[in-house]
Amino acid sequence: MAKRKSGRKLEDWRSNRPSAAPGKLRIIGGRFRGRQIDYSGNQVTRPMKDNIREALFNLVGGWIPGKAVFDLFSGTGAIGIEALSRGATQAFFIERHFPSIRILTNNVRSLDPDLTAQIEASDTFFWCRKFFQSKESWPQEPWVVFCSPPYDFYVDRWDELETVIQNFLDAAPDQSILVVESDQRFDTDRLPESDQWDIRHYSPAVVAVLKRLQAH
C-alpha cells in the first residue's frame, strides 16, 4: 500500500454532537457509545480530542472487532476504551503516570468490570522490552497497536520510539494494524517501512496507519 498524505482538514470531520463536559471524555462508538469517562484535566496525559479520535476510528474502527489492542502511553485510556467498546477482545493499557492509572482503572470498571483489560503502571519503553522477551504471553489474535507518546519524544527519544515501532511491526500477526500519532515536527518518512503507511493530517496531530495484511 503506497503512503497517502491526505489533504483533508480536521473541520471535515467535525461532528454536530455536543462535546463532553469539562473533566469528561465521550466514547464515540460501539457498545458504550455516548458514555463518558473521567479525565483529570492534567495536560501530562494529552488525551486525543473527540474530533480526532472520531476521525481515527472512522479510519480503523472496522478493523477492531476480534483483535487485541495495545494502548501505549495510554494516559486516560480513551483510545483503548474506545477500541473495547467497538469489539476488541482485550486491551493492554501502559501508562506510568499514577494519577492517570487510578482514573483509567475506575473508568474501565465503571463501564463493565468484566472487560478484559490489563492495566500496567509502567514506563512504556521498559514494558515493551519485557513484553518482547516473553513471546509466550503474546495474544494469539491479530493486534491493533496505538502509539501516542508525548510529541516531544519524537525529538528527544526517537531512537527508543523507533525500536518500539519496529518490534511491533516484526512481531505482530497477520491482519494486525499499527497506528502512530505524532505532530507536524516529525517527518513520517523516518518511520520503519515508511512507504507502507497511510498518513492523515488532523492538525495539530499527524496520524500514520499501517495495516499488516500479508504474512511477513
Side-chain angles (χ1 to χ4, degrees):
M1 177 177 63
K3 181 168 64 172
R4 300 195 299 269
K5 296 197 175 183
S6 171
R8 293 184 179 182
K9 302 294 185 182
L10 177 59
E11 288 76 13
D12 295 339
W13 293 100
R14 291 197 185 277
S15 171
N16 291 324
R17 304 190 193 111
S19 298
K24 299 286 186 179
L25 297 171
R26 176 173 50 84
I27 299 175
I28 305 297
R31 62 183 286 208
F32 303 123
R33 180 180 181 180
R35 299 274 295 273
Q36 293 185 357
I37 57 176
D38 289 331
Y39 164 51
S40 68
N42 192 323
Q43 286 302 306
V44 168
T45 60
R46 200 203 75 243
M48 186 181 287
K49 294 180 180 179
D50 281 1
N51 315 48
I52 300 174
R53 189 156 35 94
E54 183 170 11
L56 171 61
F57 278 92
N58 283 341
L59 187 63
V60 304
W63 292 78
I64 298 293
K67 293 182 171 62
V69 167
F70 296 82
D71 190 352
L72 308 181
F73 310 95
S74 61
T76 60
I79 293 293
I81 289 172
E82 186 78 39
L84 286 170
S85 179
R86 293 170 183 256
T89 58
Q90 58 180 313
F92 297 82
F93 298 89
I94 302 90
E95 173 56 50
R96 69 178 183 179
H97 185 241
F98 283 99
S100 295
I101 287 289
R102 289 194 293 270
I103 293 171
L104 167 56
T105 301
N106 290 335
N107 282 336
V108 171
R109 289 175 178 168
S110 71
L111 293 170
D112 184 345
D114 294 326
L115 285 173
T116 306
Q118 185 169 322
I119 300 171
E120 299 285 346
S122 176
D123 174 81
T124 297
F125 296 115
F126 174 80
W127 184 88
C128 286
R129 287 194 293 270
K130 299 288 287 184
F131 174 77
F132 288 113
Q133 292 170 1
S134 305
K135 189 171 183 178
E136 67 278 0
S137 67
W138 295 0
Q140 296 303 301
E141 62 267 51
W143 304 349
V144 181
V145 182
F146 294 98
C147 181
S148 299
Y151 291 155
D152 285 347
F153 282 13
Y154 289 95
V155 177
D156 302 332
R157 305 184 70 175
W158 169 241
D159 288 347
E160 293 171 279
L161 265 181
E162 183 180 26
T163 297
V164 167
I165 294 168
Q166 184 65 67
N167 284 340
F168 270 107
L169 285 174
D170 291 342
D174 188 25
Q175 302 300 313
S176 294
I177 300 173
L178 188 63
V179 179
V180 173
E181 180 198 359
S182 64
D183 67 5
Q184 295 177 354
R185 290 175 297 170
F186 178 63
D187 181 0
T188 54
D189 285 338
R190 300 180 69 187
L191 287 167
E193 304 182 26
S194 62
D195 63 332
Q196 299 300 305
W197 297 80
D198 182 358
I199 310 298
R200 303 295 177 111
H201 294 264
Y202 310 117
S203 182
V206 178
V207 175
V209 179
L210 187 149
K211 297 176 181 177
R212 180 70 79 187
L213 301 181
Q214 299 178 347
H216 55 284

